[in-house]
Amino acid sequence: DVTSGQVVDPASQGAADKDAVDPENDFQREMSFYRQAQAAVLEALPRLRKLQVPTRRPDDYFAEMAKSDQQMQKIRQKLKSKQEAMERSERAKQLRAMRKYGKKVQTEILQRRQKEKKNMLNAVKKYQKGLSDKLDFLDEEQTSSQGNKKGSASQWIKKGPNAKRRYKNQKFGFGGKKKGSKWNTKESFNDVSSFRSKVAHNKGPGKGGKKALNKRPGKRARQKMKSRAR
Amino acid sequence: GKWRNKERVLIFSSRGINFRTRHLMQDLRTLMPHSKADTKMDRKDQLFVINEVCEMKNCNKCIFFEAKKKQDLYMWLSNTPQGPSAKFLVQNIHTLAELKMTGNCLRGSRPLLSFDPTFDKEPHYALLKELFIQIFSTPQYHPKSQPFVDHVFTFTVTDERIWFRNYQIIEEDASLVEIGPRFVLNLIKIFQGSFGGPTLYENPHYQSPNMHRRLIRLSVAAKFREKQQVKEVQKIKKKGSKVLIEEDPTEVVFETPAEEKPVEIQLVKPESKPIVKDKKKLRKFQRKKQKKFFRTE
């Protein structure tokens, strides 16, 4: 009693695939069922079409479905909620990653700024101390950072500190901590620029009528005199 | 056209079924428009009473669900007047109402049935295939049926069991979504008559659920017993085999008793040691001293 169009269909599937299906492996098993169904459908639909059995439902055909609309709504809700949860977790992850990256970039920028400031100050100090009379560092800074905006400012900086300030620096030295600074270093020891030979050997012109005649002879001389006198 | 194929399937159950089985039954009733429902059968009546019930309802096929111990579900598929019948153990039931089954189909639309090639290889499988075909396929031009073909039942033999799935056909290129329900049938026996008669085939791989549970319990008990035995063996080993050595007279020869020390009675409390708070620090100082010494050398 298998009338034409009575829907019966053995599906053929490669025997090799079947043997490899491990019943414990859920995914593989379900996939094999799926493939079997697909093969059956692909074989059956042309035959049905030939027998003029309709397979596609027209869009205006409304009839009762096996699952109620309410049920389908529930299913749709569940799917949506699952998707949303996934999206939320994705977004959270991305945010975290971005924040991390942002923080890194920020610290880098701050460090760079600090470094630049330090370099600038060092260069300025160098110039002030007279070690380098070139003001190139300013030029470099300007060209790299701001350009023409600070042109007038750079010109003003070229003159350096005030004339009064310069005189005082020369006389009293530069500001800053003096206590911990080194003295009697190699350089200062070997620096004999403040040696006045005439002063040391008492050869220079006297400061106008010195009581030189009252000079007492030294110890050695006195002893010699003493011993000679005896 | 004229409705010629007058197949009617009676779907009902015994008492003591749980909610899942009830839902499965209802799902089958909705998917098969050529089915009829009946009240629950009492356990007291014997199985061949079912044949009379079917005759009263004018059905020529029957699906009967039998629940035992509130745990195991058996399913009978039978061709009622005199045809063969088969008894299965049903497992892994998932119903239409589960939210993971996202497909839907027209109520009463005719299904496509798809069988595993294994069904053609063995005679008992061939018999089952014929039974499935006659029961599950909706007759053409049945008054409650819809003329479209939009879902497919698959029967697959894996792991000595028959797996049933129901998919909705979405596109003509065979993209499918599962509608459900789904279950696994474990064949027990095939009888010549309906709900009785001589046995045509008995499944050698079938193990009754009682036996299965019993085996699990036995294995657990066996493990426990093994542990006990091992413990006992260890105990015996400890106690036994202690060899008694005879007394050796020559052993005492070289023994010289030690001199007796004068008994000292301490009247004065001994000086207390300097309390070292930090042993590490002490050691550190010691090391520094050593280093200094080493350097000045």
Side-chain angles (χ1 to χ4, degrees), chain B residues 286-297:
Chain B
Q286 282 184 2
R287 269 193 302 179
K288 271 196 172 171
K289 272 193 204 156
Q290 276 188 8
K291 267 195 192 167
K292 238 189 183 173
F293 189 65
F294 184 70
R295 245 192 287 149
T296 52
E297 264 194 7

Side-chain angles (χ1 to χ4, degrees), chain B residues 9 105 143 191 212 218-219 260 275 277 290 293:
Chain B
V9 182
C105 66
F191 301 98
H212 184 71
L218 279 179
S219 72
E260 263 194 40
I275 305 166
K277 266 199 189 159
Q290 276 188 8
F293 189 65

Side-chain angles (χ1 to χ4, degrees), chain A residues 74-89:
Chain A
K74 256 199 255 180
I75 293 173
R76 228 166 282 149
Q77 281 289 355
K78 186 132 196 271
L79 279 175
K80 227 195 291 182
S81 69
K82 256 199 220 166
Q83 214 177 12
E84 268 176 21
M86 217 168 59
E87 266 178 31
R88 231 179 290 147
S89 75

Side-chain angles (χ1 to χ4, degrees), chain A residues 8 23 35-36 86 150 172 179 188 214 216 220 228:
Chain A
V8 169
R35 265 179 270 128
Q36 185 190 330
M86 217 168 59
K150 292 230 171 168
F172 302 111
K179 246 175 136 172
S188 78
N214 227 2
R216 190 170 165 236
R220 202 75 178 113
R228 214 177 279 161

Side-chain angles (χ1 to χ4, degrees), chain A residues 4-9 11 18 29-30 33-34 36 38 49 55-56 61 64-67 71 75 78, chain B residues 5 97 99 101 103-105 107 110-111 113-116 138 140 146 149 156 163 165 172 174 176 179:
Chain A
S4 65
Q6 176 73 306
V7 283
V8 169
D9 236 320
K18 285 266 85 198
R29 198 185 53 212
E30 297 298 324
F33 299 158
Y34 188 87
Q36 185 190 330
Q38 272 188 329
R49 238 171 273 144
T55 51
R56 265 179 65 248
Y61 190 99
E64 199 181 350
M65 307 286 275
K67 294 191 197 174
Q71 179 74 7
I75 293 173
K78 186 132 196 271
Chain B
N5 184 2
L99 289 174
M101 316 282 193
N104 201 357
C105 66
R107 184 179 273 219
R110 299 173 66 203
L113 284 108
S114 155
F115 293 89
D116 206 9
T138 310
Q140 206 181 19
Q146 306 283 356
V149 175
T156 325
W163 302 69
R165 296 278 182 279
E172 300 283 294
L176 309 168
I179 311 170

Side-chain angles (χ1 to χ4, degrees), chain B residues 6-233:
Chain B
K6 302 284 172 78
E7 286 281 348
R8 272 179 273 260
V9 182
L10 184 67
I11 306 184
F12 72 121
S13 72
S14 72
R15 300 184 77 210
I17 53 174
N18 65 353
F19 68 97
R20 218 182 283 274
T21 319
R22 198 165 19 92
H23 278 281
L24 178 66
M25 222 168 47
Q26 280 173 356
D27 294 342
L28 285 177
R29 279 184 203 146
T30 51
L31 286 177
M32 295 158 51
H34 57 290
S35 62
K36 285 208 179 144
D38 196 21
T39 54
K40 289 187 204 157
M41 192 188 86
D42 216 358
R43 202 76 61 72
K44 289 186 293 186
D45 308 327
Q46 299 186 325
L47 284 174
F48 55 76
V49 171
I50 301 181
N51 294 326
E52 294 173 7
V53 175
C54 285
E55 206 183 307
M56 278 204 297
K57 289 261 173 164
N58 196 9
C59 294
N60 58 357
K61 294 279 184 306
C62 175
I63 302 181
F64 176 60
F65 290 101
E66 190 180 351
K68 288 253 172 80
K69 279 188 177 188
K70 297 202 182 166
Q71 282 171 355
D72 313 321
L73 179 70
Y74 298 99
M75 180 165 106
W76 288 88
L77 289 180
S78 149
N79 180 13
T80 15
Q82 72 274 55
S85 52
K87 186 173 180 189
F88 300 92
L89 174 70
V90 188
Q91 292 165 325
N92 290 7
I93 301 176
H94 294 264
T95 57
L96 264 184
E98 295 203 357
L99 289 174
K100 297 232 167 137
M101 316 282 193
T102 45
N104 201 357
C105 66
L106 282 171
R107 184 179 273 219
S109 65
R110 299 173 66 203
L112 213 51
L113 284 108
S114 155
F115 293 89
D116 206 9
T118 328
F119 276 101
D120 295 328
K121 292 193 187 141
E122 309 269 320
H124 58 272
Y125 281 138
L127 197 156
L128 287 177
K129 177 174 165 180
E130 193 53 42
L131 208 53
F132 288 142
I133 291 172
Q134 291 189 6
I135 289 180
F136 286 103
S137 50
T138 310
Q140 206 181 19
Y141 310 125
H142 189 279
K144 283 198 206 159
S145 70
Q146 306 283 356
F148 304 105
V149 175
D150 62 354
H151 62 292
V152 52
F153 290 165
T154 53
F155 298 86
T156 325
V157 176
T158 315
D159 193 27
E160 318 294 339
R161 293 174 173 80
I162 302 173
W163 302 69
F164 172 86
R165 296 278 182 279
N166 178 11
Y167 295 100
Q168 177 196 6
I169 305 170
I170 303 179
E171 290 291 323
E172 300 283 294
D173 65 348
S175 53
L176 309 168
V177 178
E178 185 152 4
I179 311 170
R182 45 154 89 167
F183 48 87
V184 178
L185 298 173
N186 202 350
L187 174 66
I188 306 174
K189 277 191 182 179
I190 304 184
F191 301 98
Q192 191 186 20
S194 163
F195 294 101
T199 314
L200 290 177
Y201 178 78
E202 191 175 338
N203 187 3
H205 306 279
Y206 171 69
Q207 193 189 61
S208 91
N210 281 332
M211 189 59 86
H212 184 71
R213 287 188 279 260
R214 182 164 180 269
L215 282 180
I216 291 176
R217 255 180 296 155
L218 279 179
S219 72
V220 170
K223 244 196 268 179
F224 182 69
R225 224 176 293 139
E226 212 184 291
K227 273 197 212 166
Q228 291 271 28
Q229 279 182 354
V230 166
K231 268 195 205 166
E232 284 190 9
V233 166

Side-chain angles (χ1 to χ4, degrees), chain A residues 45-229:
Chain A
L45 284 181
R47 282 162 73 173
L48 286 173
R49 238 171 273 144
K50 234 195 313 183
L51 296 166
Q52 278 142 18
V53 176
T55 51
R56 265 179 65 248
R57 185 160 64 110
D59 292 325
D60 54 354
Y61 190 99
F62 292 116
E64 199 181 350
M65 307 286 275
K67 294 191 197 174
S68 67
D69 283 336
Q70 213 184 24
Q71 179 74 7
M72 297 312 286
Q73 279 285 4
K74 256 199 255 180
I75 293 173
R76 228 166 282 149
Q77 281 289 355
K78 186 132 196 271
L79 279 175
K80 227 195 291 182
S81 69
K82 256 199 220 166
Q83 214 177 12
E84 268 176 21
M86 217 168 59
E87 266 178 31
R88 231 179 290 147
S89 75
E90 273 294 325
R91 251 180 278 143
K93 249 187 258 174
Q94 272 187 357
L95 257 174
R96 252 180 282 142
M98 263 179 58
R99 252 187 238 146
K100 223 180 179 182
Y101 179 68
K103 180 107 190 183
K104 203 164 52 151
V105 167
Q106 198 183 32
T107 53
E108 264 180 33
I109 286 176
L110 282 175
Q111 279 181 355
R112 200 165 5 114
R113 275 197 213 142
Q114 293 267 26
K115 227 193 285 181
E116 278 182 20
K117 184 173 171 185
K118 191 170 113 181
N119 286 343
M120 177 65 136
L121 284 176
N122 280 348
V124 169
K125 262 207 187 142
K126 261 198 203 168
Y127 171 68
Q128 285 173 347
K129 295 214 175 175
L131 288 175
S132 63
D133 49 354
K134 294 184 283 184
L135 289 169
D136 289 344
F137 62 91
L138 290 169
D139 287 331
E140 276 177 39
E141 291 287 82
Q142 299 320 312
T143 50
S144 67
S145 58
Q146 295 270 343
N148 283 339
K149 202 172 176 191
K150 292 230 171 168
S152 58
S154 72
Q155 284 179 2
W156 185 82
I157 287 171
K158 269 192 185 168
K159 292 210 183 107
N162 222 345
K164 181 178 172 185
R165 185 72 257 160
R166 264 183 287 154
Y167 169 72
K168 287 207 175 172
N169 278 347
Q170 199 189 20
K171 192 167 181 197
F172 302 111
F174 298 101
K177 202 168 164 191
K178 290 286 193 264
K179 246 175 136 172
S181 61
K182 295 184 182 174
W183 70 94
N184 275 352
T185 55
K186 195 179 192 178
E187 289 88 8
S188 78
F189 189 77
N190 292 336
D191 177 28
V192 288
S193 55
S194 59
F195 176 75
R196 307 271 173 263
S197 139
K198 299 244 170 122
V199 169
H201 296 295
N202 201 12
K203 289 270 177 31
K207 281 195 282 189
K210 214 163 98 171
K211 281 206 288 185
L213 299 166
N214 227 2
K215 193 166 178 164
R216 190 170 165 236
K219 182 177 178 181
R220 202 75 178 113
R222 273 184 278 131
Q223 277 184 349
K224 267 192 197 162
M225 282 162 60
K226 203 160 144 196
S227 64
R228 214 177 279 161

